[in-house]
Amino acid sequence: MAAFPEISKIKYEGPDSKNPLAFRHYNESELVEGKTMKDQLRFSVAYWHTMRGTGADPFGPGTMIRPWEGAGDSVENAVNRVRVAFEFMEKLGTPFFCFHDRDVAPEGASLAESNKNLDTVVKAIKAESDRTGIKLLWGTANLFSNPRYVHGAATSCNADAFAFAAAQVKKALEVTKELGGSGYVFWGGREGYQTLWNTDMKRELDHLARFMHMAVEYAKEIGFTGQFYFEPKPKEPTKHQYDFDAAACINFLRANGLEKHVKLNIETNHATLAGHTVEHELEYAGMQGFLGSVDANTGDLLLGWDTDQFPTDVYMTTKIMLAFLKYGGLAPGGVNFDAKVRRESFEPVDLFHAHIGGMDTFAMGLKLAAKIRADGELARMVQQRYASWDSGIGAEIEQGKHNFKSLEQYMLAKGDVAPNTSGRQELFENVVNRYIF
Ligand code: XUL
Ligand code: CO
């Protein structure tokens, strides 16, 4: 029985459509910079939010109406939920999905039982994936919900928690490989601390590095060739997460010899919680060769926590896609909607509205980014701003022909800096708006 009987395949109807269950901008076969929108954007549904989100918050229980959830947290229901997930994705037209091990299958009474449950559900996922062509973008393990991870997983003070986490990631890598996943994500979960009084930070970070190396080694052993990603997040659940932002993550990877194996999965709301913007994080990662994938959502600037809302801001998606086009596209990463419908949006159809809005906003962002790049005006204006580096003293400094003494000579002879030109921020903003409206 269909879970969404009243909804048929969501189609592209063009910008003038008023049909709420149609795309106005996401036209999967339309070419942008030589690739289809489908291949440029590589949209992914997050299993944990879309299939497991209940709407519970600290003040009350779940509110979501999900008729297919009748049988509760059983393996049987987990298998049935897989069919619902694929019906949803088929109707939506997303080519990928992402999951944590514990999103798709219930945890059993022992590790062996949990693995068995996972195998049963993965078999169902494999069948649905083969039937529909919808693939796993990346897999991951939930190393934060179970109370055994109260002090973290790889950074726990309890070595057994580290060992259990290792076993869980081993299995998660195996199923990710089995499903043909193109990546594997490490998000810190509870890897961080609440107070330094009880924390040996150096020891915990050394353990985290060892843990990641073990994952890289095991991937090699089983022939998993997907991309590893590290996902920055500054706080929540711990006060101080070790994977604070792109800079902290890249430093950790380089300091521990992991830079060849791991790129970053940048999440919008995590960037803003770190006091950055998503474009800052993408540019920072991109310029150093660490740009991998994106967890698409948005926060609420009036709230200081991870609200994981669906993105509807075209300026933001334009900036995200500008960064990705600049650094060579998203593949093997993608645009994963790590976003949830609001607690008040509890009907199944709201899942469609949320994803359609996010996909259209990203499609629009992609088209605008391509237009901005094709036109080249903005790039020319930036280049003009740095013109003093293109010839004369600037070019000589960039070529390594100067030192402090020669520059002192240069300035003694010249007297002072050539007049600065205006930054023209408002003009830049106006030029961007020219593409947008
Ligand atoms: C948590 C978060 C995670 C990761 C995967 O804030 O973003 O869902 O994306 O573990
Ligand atoms: Co995320």
Side-chain angles (χ1 to χ4, degrees):
M1 217 184 74
F4 309 97
E6 70 291 358
I7 294 168
S8 39
K9 176 118 179 74
I10 308 299
K11 294 200 194 81
Y12 170 71
E13 292 186 1
D16 295 332
S17 173
K18 293 220 166 71
N19 175 2
L21 292 171
F23 294 118
R24 298 190 305 118
H25 297 286
Y26 181 59
N27 179 11
E28 62 171 33
S29 57
E30 187 176 324
L31 291 180
V32 180
E33 292 207 5
K35 270 199 232 160
T36 62
M37 278 197 180
K38 186 176 174 184
D39 289 343
Q40 289 282 20
L41 292 161
R42 296 169 62 83
F43 284 130
S44 157
V45 167
Y47 211 93
W48 53 99
H49 285 312
T50 296
M51 298 315 298
R52 305 310 310 272
T54 64
D57 72 8
F59 304 96
T63 54
M64 298 296 152
I65 298 172
R66 302 288 184 256
W68 56 85
E69 287 294 337
D73 209 12
S74 64
V75 176
E76 188 197 348
N77 200 38
V79 168
N80 182 49
R81 192 184 293 122
V82 168
R83 295 197 196 100
V84 176
F86 277 82
E87 180 193 334
F88 176 72
M89 293 188 286
E90 257 192 303
K91 288 184 168 170
L92 194 60
T94 43
F96 295 103
F97 63 101
C98 295
F99 66 71
H100 302 81
D101 48 2
R102 302 300 180 243
D103 306 332
V104 290
E107 182 148 13
S110 64
L111 179 62
E113 197 180 308
S114 299
N115 286 351
K116 197 168 145 248
N117 291 350
L118 189 54
D119 283 336
T120 306
V121 182
V122 164
K123 207 181 281 170
I125 296 178
K126 179 97 177 39
E128 285 293 278
S129 175
D130 289 347
R131 180 181 68 77
T132 58
I134 297 168
K135 308 278 286 179
L136 179 63
L137 182 68
W138 48 259
T140 188
N142 179 329
L143 307 178
F144 42 90
S145 294
N146 190 292
R148 78 173 67 87
Y149 297 126
V150 62
H151 301 298
T155 66
S156 176
C157 50
N158 183 342
D160 271 358
F162 183 107
F164 201 106
Q168 226 182 298
V169 172
K170 173 180 177 287
K171 182 72 183 168
L173 283 169
E174 289 163 10
V175 304
T176 298
K177 176 177 184 244
E178 194 175 330
L179 292 170
S182 31
Y184 186 89
V185 162
F186 292 106
W187 166 60
R190 294 181 193 276
E191 317 293 25
Y193 64 86
Q194 304 290 12
T195 170
L196 259 189
W197 288 120
N198 70 6
T199 302
D200 185 338
M201 179 153 48
K202 165 89 169 71
R203 205 164 181 186
E204 293 198 359
L205 283 168
D206 286 349
H207 294 165
L208 182 60
R210 187 79 277 276
F211 193 88
M212 283 201 188
H213 273 292
M214 285 184 195
V216 168
E217 281 157 23
Y218 190 64
K220 206 167 157 201
E221 199 176 318
I222 63 172
F224 171 65
T225 53
Q227 176 64 51
F228 279 102
Y229 305 104
F230 196 16
E231 181 175 322
K233 183 175 182 179
K235 52 188 163 194
E236 210 195 23
T238 70
K239 183 171 76 176
H240 193 114
Q241 299 275 129
Y242 289 137
D243 44 6
F244 192 94
D245 62 0
C249 287
I250 291 172
N251 181 61
F252 173 84
L253 295 171
R254 288 213 179 106
N256 292 288
L258 286 154
E259 67 276 15
K260 283 199 184 62
H261 309 289
V262 187
K263 289 192 192 305
L264 299 190
N265 181 37
I266 301 287
E267 178 163 329
T268 323
N269 201 175
H270 296 179
T272 45
L273 290 176
H276 302 306
T277 57
V278 66
E279 63 268 24
H280 168 89
E281 290 290 84
L282 293 169
E283 182 61 30
Y284 191 86
M287 72 186 182
Q288 304 190 55
F290 282 84
L291 192 50
S293 198
V294 63
D295 267 7
N297 59 23
T298 194
D300 185 318
L301 294 181
L302 300 183
L303 302 174
W305 67 89
D306 199 12
T307 58
D308 282 343
Q309 290 165 236
F310 276 83
T312 56
D313 179 351
V314 155
Y315 287 94
M316 185 184 82
T317 56
T318 303
K319 289 173 193 163
I320 292 175
M321 292 319 297
L322 267 174
F324 272 103
L325 292 175
K326 176 173 172 186
Y327 292 107
L330 272 153
V335 174
N336 174 49
F337 289 110
D338 193 353
K340 59 187 179 212
V341 288
R342 298 301 86 195
R343 188 170 190 265
E344 299 80 359
S345 309
F346 46 74
E347 292 178 23
V349 71
D350 291 309
L351 293 172
F352 281 92
H353 294 312
H355 285 85
I356 289 169
M359 290 163 78
D360 259 349
T361 309
F362 261 92
M364 189 72 198
L366 170 66
K367 288 194 279 190
L368 288 165
K371 225 159 123 186
I372 289 171
R373 279 160 57 84
D375 192 43
E377 165 109 11
L378 214 54
R380 275 193 296 279
M381 285 166 62
V382 175
Q383 193 172 6
Q384 185 53 36
R385 190 160 176 248
Y386 292 87
S388 71
W389 293 92
D390 291 336
S391 61
I393 190 78
E396 287 169 24
I397 295 172
E398 282 192 353
Q399 289 155 13
K401 291 184 179 154
H402 281 281
N403 55 33
F404 272 9
K405 280 190 288 185
S406 66
L407 291 176
E408 182 190 45
Q409 285 309 311
Y410 168 77
M411 228 49 238
L412 284 171
K414 183 162 185 180
D416 207 343
V417 170
N420 272 316
T421 50
S422 167
R424 303 238 190 281
Q425 178 174 332
E426 298 77 6
L427 174 63
F428 274 79
E429 288 163 348
N430 293 351
V431 170
V432 169
N433 281 345
R434 233 187 255 159
Y435 302 98
I436 295 195
F437 55 84

